[in-house]
Amino acid sequence: MATSPSTAVDRPPRRRLANALRALAMDAVQRANSGHPGMPMGMADIAEVLWNDFLKHNPANPRWPDRDRFVLSNGHGSMLLYGLLHLSGYPLSIDELKNFRQLGSRTPGHPEYDPETGVETTTGPLGQGVSNAVGMALAEKVLATQFNRPGFPVIDHRTWVFLGDGCLMEGISHEACSLAGTLRLGKLICLYDDNDISIDGRVDGWFTDDTAGRFRAYGWQVIDAVDGHDPQAVAEAIAAATADTERPSLICCKTVIGYGAPHKQGTEATHGAPLGEDEVAAAREALGWECPPFEIPDEVRAAWNAVDRGREREAAWRALFAGYAQAHPELAAELERRLAGELPANWQETVDEAVSAVAAAAPQEATRKSSLRALNALAPGLPELLGGSADLTGSNLTFHAGSRVIGGDDAAGNYLHFGVREFGMTALLNGVALHGGFIPYGGTFLVFSDYARNALRLAALMGVQNIGVFTHDSIGLGEDGPTHQPVEQLASLQLMPNMRVWRPCDAVETLAAWVDAIERRDGPTSLVLTRQSVPPQSRDATQLATIRRGAYILRDAPSPALILIATGSEVALAMAAAERLAADGQAVRVVSMPCASLFLAQPDEYRDAVLPPAVGRRIAIEAGATGLWHRFVGPQGRIIGLDRFGESAPAGELFREFGFTAEHIAAAARELIAGD
C-alpha cells in the first residue's frame, strides 16, 4: 500500500479531498443543466482512497504501459472520473470541466475513450465497462505469463472497476464476471456502489439478488458490507482485495447516493438531474465547502496532485525494464513491438507467402474453412493473435494449428473458450484491445452478432481493433432454419459507422479480408463467412492487387451492357449467370464487392472505373436484406436479395426457392436488357 498524501499532518482531511470531487460534480452538472450528480457524490470517498492510496498511474504519461487501469463502468457518473483526472494532474483543464456535456469538449456526458487524458474506455451502456475490464485483466495476466522472468515483473498491474446496481442487473455482467472467476483474474478488483437506488427509485422492487452470493459462486473473493463513507474501512477492504492474487475481488460498499445534498441524498432525485441551485447551496453548507463553483483551494489541489509520485513510479519501472532488456533483449524488443501495436518486421513476407500458398491451392471450400486456412498461414508470424469462440469452435473454425487454450491455471496460451457468451466475449475482447499487446478475434454465427451488437458498436465508436469471425452467413446454412439464418444482420453491420464488413467469395478474398483486418488499427472488422462450399475464382495480378479496394472487376467484357454485382457465395452465381449471358451474345461485367465500405472510400476515379455511371443496367445479388444495394444499382437496376425470413430445408433447395440461381439471375438480366 502506497503512502497517501492525505495522511500527512499538513494535508487536508480525507473528507475534504473527497468533497472536492463532490463539488466539481454538482457544479459541472448544474452548469450544464444536465447530468448525474448522485453517483459521483456517493462514491467520492471510495475514489479518494483508491486514487490517493492504491492506484498506480502517472498523470504525466497516461500511456505508461504498466499503469493500473481504472474503469468507470457506471459511466453516467462521468463527472467523478473527470474530477479525478483533473485533480490528479492529467491534461484535463478546469475549462473542460466547465464545458461538461458541451459540443467539442473532452468531457462528454458519458466517458469516451481518450488515452491522452486517461479515459481508458468508453462506458455508459451499463455492464460493458466491467466486461472491458475483464479483458484488460486477462491481457495483463497473459502478457505477464508470456514475458515476465524471475526478477523482472515488467508486466505487473491491476485493473480497478467502479460499478453500480445497473451494471449488475445487465446480463453481460454475468457473462463476463463468471468467466473472470473461471480464469482466476486475481488482479481485477471491482468496487460496487451498493446504494439501493436506480432511475426508477429503490431497487428492492426489482433487484433483490444476493449479489455477494452470486460473485462467490463465480469464484470471486467478496468483501461485503463495507461502509463506503468510511475511508479506513474502504482502505482495509482494498488491501484485503489486493492480498488475494488468485481470485478477482468484489468490494460491496454501502453508500448514500447524492451524499451531502441534505434534501435529496438517498433518493433517485439525485441520479440523473441537476440538484438545483438551492440544493447545491445547501450541499455546500452541509459539506462545509465554502469555495465558489469550480474553485479548488491550493492545499486541496496540491494533496490531490499525483504527477510527482507517478513520475517516480514510472521511473522505477523504466529502470526495471532497462535491466530486463539487458538480461532478455529479444523478449524486451518483442514486448515493446507488441505494446506499440507494430506488426512484425517480416509481416509482408508472411502475407506474400500466404497469398502464394492459398492461390496455389485453389480450393473449393466454405469460406469459414478458408478463414482457418488464412489463420494457419498468418498466425505463426503473429504471436499477438488472441481469440476464441462463443462455444462454436468446431463450427467457426477459429482454432488454428498454433492455438493453445488459456485456463485459470495456465495463462500462457492464445485461445479462449468463451462459452455461450457472445456479448461478453465481444466486450471482453474490446478490453483486450484497449489494454494493448494483442490483436483480438472472436467467433460466433452471424445471426448471433445481434447478441454482441452493442459491444461491436462501442468498438466502432472507440476505434479499437476487434475482429469478428461470423460464420453461417445466410440461408445457405440450411436445415437449422430461420432462427439461425441471418437476413438483416449483414446490412445491420454495414450500417454501423466505422465497422468494416467483409463478405469474401473464396479463399483468396478471405485471406485478403484477414490481412486487412489485422493491419487495420482504427476500428473493428466483421468477417462474414459461409458454411457451404464455394468455388475458387481465377484472378490476374491486377485483380489480386485490387481486392482490398473493396470491389473490383472479376470478369469483364468490351463495352458491357450490364453489370452484375455480388458478394460471398453469390459471386459464383453471378459468374455462372455471366457465362449464360455471354452465350447469348450479351456483354456482361461481374464485380465482386467483398467490402462495400472500403469501396466507397476509394477515389471517384476508381469507383467510376469499376461501376461506370454510363452503365445503368445493374443487378446486385446477395442472400440478405436489400437495403444497402439501392445506392449501387440505381433507379435502372434490380436487386436479388432476401427481405423476409428463411425456411428450414437443405441449402440447395432454399437457394432455388428464393431465386439464388444462375438461371434466375440470367433471366432477370435478359429482362432488364430487353426492357430498354
Side-chain angles (χ1 to χ4, degrees):
M1 175 174 168
T3 300
S4 169
S6 61
T7 60
V9 293
D10 59 342
R11 300 284 179 168
R14 283 191 181 275
R15 177 56 53 81
R16 185 159 174 77
L17 297 180
N19 285 346
L21 293 171
R22 293 185 171 99
L24 287 173
M26 63 185 183
D27 289 343
V29 171
Q30 193 63 38
R31 184 183 179 106
N33 197 30
S34 174
H36 301 74
M39 186 281 272
M41 297 177 75
M43 293 196 80
D45 295 304
I46 304 167
E48 188 277 321
V49 173
L50 174 62
W51 279 62
N52 280 327
D53 283 23
F54 293 92
L55 191 71
K56 183 176 77 170
H57 64 126
N58 180 11
N61 181 14
R63 292 181 180 269
W64 172 28
D66 201 42
R67 69 191 181 278
D68 286 355
R69 272 59 170 180
F70 176 77
V71 174
L72 192 79
S73 191
N74 42 356
H76 54 274
S78 56
M79 265 309 304
L80 179 64
L81 177 58
Y82 302 146
L84 287 163
L85 295 171
H86 169 73
L87 291 172
S88 296
Y90 286 83
L92 195 68
S93 70
I94 195 68
D95 287 336
E96 292 289 358
L97 271 61
K98 291 177 181 178
N99 287 327
F100 177 56
R101 288 183 163 230
Q102 304 308 302
L103 183 65
S105 77
R106 300 187 85 165
T107 51
H110 291 82
E112 295 179 19
Y113 174 53
D114 187 354
E116 298 303 322
T117 62
V119 180
E120 298 282 5
T121 183
T122 297
T123 57
L126 294 173
Q128 286 202 63
V130 65
S131 303
N132 292 166
V134 172
M136 294 174 184
L138 172 69
E140 191 275 344
K141 183 173 182 176
V142 175
L143 270 184
T145 303
Q146 292 177 353
F147 286 97
N148 286 356
R149 293 297 182 267
F152 295 103
V154 291
I155 301 296
D156 184 16
H157 51 267
R158 291 186 172 87
T159 303
W160 304 89
V161 185
F162 279 9
L163 51 78
D165 292 305
C167 289
L168 296 178
M169 288 185 231
E170 289 284 0
I172 188 176
S173 71
H174 167 78
E175 295 183 25
C177 293
S178 169
L179 189 57
T182 298
L183 295 175
R184 298 185 185 178
L185 301 181
K187 291 184 179 178
L188 172 64
I189 301 175
C190 298
L191 292 112
Y192 166 32
D193 183 27
D194 186 7
N195 61 30
D196 298 319
I197 296 291
S198 66
I199 292 175
D200 282 354
R202 294 198 62 82
V203 300
D204 53 12
W206 49 87
F207 185 54
T208 58
D209 299 14
D210 177 2
T211 298
R214 167 184 163 190
F215 275 78
R216 287 190 181 100
Y218 293 156
W220 288 50
Q221 174 188 208
V222 176
I223 303 170
D224 206 0
V226 175
D227 182 349
H229 300 298
D230 179 347
Q232 184 63 31
V234 172
E236 290 174 359
I238 294 176
T242 60
D244 188 336
T245 60
E246 293 299 314
R247 297 178 294 172
S249 294
L250 179 72
I251 303 173
C252 302
C253 299
K254 294 301 297 183
T255 61
V256 176
I257 190 171
Y259 183 93
H263 307 109
K264 295 186 176 183
Q265 67 178 16
T267 73
E268 67 272 18
T270 69
H271 176 88
L275 297 178
E277 296 290 353
D278 291 344
E279 187 70 0
V280 169
R284 273 184 152 71
E285 183 176 354
L287 294 169
W289 189 260
E290 71 287 350
C291 304
F294 298 103
E295 287 192 15
I296 304 296
D298 289 344
E299 71 277 9
V300 172
R301 189 173 291 280
W304 266 107
N305 193 294
V307 171
D308 289 343
R309 285 178 289 142
R311 284 178 173 149
E312 291 174 3
R313 286 173 171 172
E314 182 173 351
W317 180 82
R318 296 284 175 191
L320 176 70
F321 194 87
Y324 176 71
Q326 186 173 9
H328 306 283
E330 292 183 2
L331 278 176
E334 176 68 2
L335 178 56
E336 287 185 309
R337 176 190 73 78
R338 286 175 54 173
L339 291 174
E342 298 172 356
L343 290 169
N346 65 342
W347 170 246
Q348 191 55 52
E349 180 182 335
T350 299
V351 172
D352 292 342
E353 291 177 357
V355 170
S356 297
V358 170
Q364 175 159 326
E365 63 186 8
T367 54
R368 62 173 176 150
K369 292 185 178 179
S370 299
S371 172
L372 179 58
R373 184 184 298 275
L375 273 173
N376 281 329
L378 299 173
L382 205 63
E384 56 263 51
L385 270 181
L386 186 152
S389 170
D391 205 47
L392 290 168
T393 294
S395 295
N396 299 148
L397 302 181
T398 44
F399 194 89
H400 58 79
S403 293
R404 176 179 170 184
V405 175
I406 297 168
D409 295 323
D410 182 5
N414 56 8
Y415 193 85
L416 285 152
H417 290 295
F418 285 100
V420 187
R421 299 180 174 103
E422 297 88 355
F423 194 3
M425 171 183 73
T426 309
L428 187 156
L429 291 176
N430 283 346
V432 169
L434 289 161
H435 180 279
F438 297 97
I439 296 175
Y441 68 93
T444 187
F445 291 165
L446 176 59
V447 74
F448 299 136
S449 66
D450 284 346
Y451 282 147
R453 182 175 175 80
N454 202 254
L456 294 169
R457 184 176 189 271
L458 287 189
L461 178 62
M462 290 188 282
V464 298
Q465 186 177 35
N466 190 345
I467 303 171
V469 182
F470 299 128
T471 69
H472 295 59
D473 70 345
S474 71
I475 56 172
L477 69 88
E479 294 87 344
D480 278 342
T483 61
H484 283 55
Q485 292 166 2
V487 172
E488 75 280 12
Q489 283 74 19
L490 182 58
S492 176
L493 289 170
Q494 288 167 331
L495 285 172
M496 189 179 292
N498 201 36
M499 172 61 74
R500 191 171 292 177
V501 181
W502 280 86
R503 188 173 186 244
C505 76
D506 65 1
V508 170
E509 284 190 1
T510 303
L511 176 61
W514 261 108
V515 172
D516 186 75
I518 288 166
E519 293 183 356
R520 185 187 188 206
R521 295 304 175 101
D522 61 354
T525 301
S526 294
L527 306 180
V528 178
L529 308 167
T530 69
R531 178 197 186 195
Q532 73 275 20
S533 293
V534 292
Q537 302 298 329
S538 298
R539 299 173 182 83
D540 59 26
T542 299
Q543 290 169 316
L544 285 172
T546 52
I547 291 174
R548 286 185 59 187
R549 302 190 79 168
Y552 63 102
I553 301 167
L554 187 59
R555 175 194 171 108
D556 209 4
S559 302
L562 179 138
I563 301 174
L564 299 177
I565 312 167
T567 76
S569 52
E570 289 73 73
V571 169
L573 300 178
M575 292 290 281
E579 289 282 349
R580 292 171 179 268
L581 293 165
D584 296 344
Q586 299 290 349
V588 175
R589 171 178 290 184
V590 177
V591 170
S592 177
M593 190 180 289
C595 185
S597 62
L598 267 179
F599 178 64
L600 290 170
Q602 301 304 310
D604 290 345
E605 294 80 4
Y606 181 78
R607 286 187 283 131
D608 289 347
V610 174
L611 297 176
V615 184
R617 289 173 294 190
R618 305 174 184 179
I619 299 178
I621 310 109
E622 186 173 70
T626 60
L628 170 76
W629 292 106
H630 293 281
R631 70 189 304 172
F632 293 111
V633 302
Q636 298 178 356
R638 295 188 182 181
I639 304 168
I640 298 174
L642 194 65
D643 286 320
R644 54 150 291 181
F645 296 119
E647 300 283 351
S648 181
E653 293 182 23
L654 291 174
F655 270 77
R656 285 191 295 274
E657 173 69 19
F658 292 113
F660 295 102
T661 65
E663 294 86 352
H664 182 259
I665 296 166
R670 294 187 189 103
E671 184 179 319
L672 187 59
I673 294 170
D676 288 351

